[in-house]
Amino acid sequence: LAVAGPLTERHLARLADLVSRRAAHEPLQHLLGSAAFRYLELAVGPGVFVPRPETELLAGWGIEAARRMAGDAAATSGAGAVTVVDLCSGSGAIALAVAEEVPGARVVAVERSTAALEWLRRNAAERARLGGNPIEVVPGDVTDPTLLAELANRVDVLLCNPPYVPAGTPVPPEVAEYDPAEAVFAGPDGLAVIRPVLNRAAELLRPGGVCGIEHDDTHGEAVPALLRADGRFDEITDHRDLLDRPRFATARRHAGTAAWQTGSP
C-alpha cells in the first residue's frame, strides 16, 4: 500500500476472488498463470501438470550431463552440439530449462496430451520470441515403440518426468482436482509408463548416452532394478529430492559395441 496506494473496490473484489479460489485449493500457479522453474517462468493452467521444485533437480542433473558431453565433443571433434530429448514434457519445463542453460543443444520435447501440447507450444513460442535457443515440439506417445525412430542411437541425454503415482494413492486436492490424472497416475504400481520409457531410452541413446527418470518416492529400488534388468545400462544411480526421498534414477547406455548391438548385459 505504501507503494501502490489504497486499493480500489475493483482491486479488493479481485483480491477476494483470488483468496476464495485459493481457499478452494485451486493451485497458486493457476491463479498467477505461471510457474517458476529454475531460471524460467512458464505459462501453466488447466490441462497441464504444474512443474514441481523436485523436478528442478532432475533438470539440473541433465543440464550438467549435456554440458559435459558438449565440452567433450568440442574437445575431440571441434563441434559441441548435443541432442537432448524430454519425454512426457508437459509444460516444457525440463526441455526449456535445458535449452536455456545449454546453448547450442538440440532439444526435442515429446508430449501426448492435446491440452498439455497447447501449453508446451505456447511456452516454446514465447522462448523463441525472446530469442532463446528453440526447442522442437513433437506430439507423441512415449509408449509407442516407434517414437523418434529417426533419432535411434543418436541421443546424448534423455530426461523424463512421467506419470508415476500408483493408482488409488491419496493425493492433495490441488493434484486430485486440477492436475490431469493422466499426468499423475500410472497403473496399479505406478510403473506403467516408466517401463516403456526405459525401453525407448535404451533404443534412442547413443553408446555412452545417459538418461534420468523421475519416479515416485516408493520406487527408489524398483526403477533402478528395472534398469539393471534391462541389461543395456550401467552406472545406475538413484537420487534423493529436497526432502531426502528417493526421486529420480539415472543410468548410462552401455558404451561397449557388443552390448549396444546385442542388448545383452
Side-chain angles (χ1 to χ4, degrees):
L1 292 177
V3 175
L7 296 178
T8 66
E9 289 297 323
R10 183 173 62 85
H11 291 147
L12 290 170
R14 175 64 173 151
L15 177 60
D17 175 64
L18 291 171
V19 170
S20 176
R21 291 165 61 189
R22 184 67 191 102
H25 300 288
E26 187 170 348
L28 177 62
Q29 294 88 347
H30 283 203
L31 302 181
L32 298 175
S34 66
F37 190 84
R38 290 181 68 87
Y39 302 104
L40 305 173
E41 282 288 333
L42 302 168
V44 296
V48 71
F49 185 80
V50 174
R52 270 47 171 192
E54 291 83 357
T55 305
E56 294 187 19
L57 301 178
L58 171 61
W61 178 89
I63 287 164
E64 289 304 314
R67 286 173 173 168
R68 183 173 63 253
M69 290 182 178
D72 291 346
T76 57
S77 66
V82 294
T83 298
V84 181
V85 169
D86 173 29
L87 300 180
C88 303
S89 191
S91 65
I94 292 176
L96 289 163
V98 173
E100 173 75 15
E101 299 180 53
V102 189
R106 178 187 179 186
V107 182
V108 181
V110 178
E111 177 54 51
R112 181 185 72 172
S113 163
T114 301
L117 273 167
E118 292 184 9
W119 293 102
L120 172 56
R121 289 185 172 117
R122 175 176 172 179
N123 285 318
E126 177 64 10
R127 174 169 178 77
R129 185 186 70 82
L130 295 173
N133 184 25
I135 68 170
E136 301 170 34
V137 176
V138 176
D141 188 336
V142 298
T143 67
D144 178 359
T146 67
L147 177 70
L148 300 181
E150 70 279 7
L151 289 180
N153 305 356
R154 296 172 53 196
V155 174
D156 297 287
V157 181
L158 184 143
L159 303 169
C160 182
N161 178 21
Y164 54 66
V165 177
T169 301
V171 293
E174 287 84 351
V175 177
E177 298 176 25
Y178 293 96
D179 278 325
E182 65 177 323
V184 177
F185 300 103
D189 62 0
L191 297 169
V193 178
I194 287 179
R195 289 187 182 94
V197 161
L198 296 184
N199 186 63
R200 283 319 297 141
E203 297 292 334
L204 293 174
L205 289 171
R206 65 167 176 80
V210 297
C211 65
I213 315 293
E214 187 167 324
H215 59 67
D216 192 67
D217 58 14
T218 64
H219 293 155
E221 295 182 3
V223 173
L226 288 172
L227 285 160
R228 287 190 292 270
D230 180 276
R232 290 174 286 182
F233 298 98
D234 57 21
E235 298 185 9
I236 298 164
T237 305
D238 204 66
H239 304 257
R240 305 184 82 83
D241 66 15
L242 301 171
L243 295 178
D244 199 34
R245 302 169 300 187
R247 184 52 64 200
F248 69 97
T250 60
R252 185 186 71 146
R253 185 68 174 78
H254 275 309
T257 302
W260 175 258
Q261 291 176 339
T262 65
S264 60

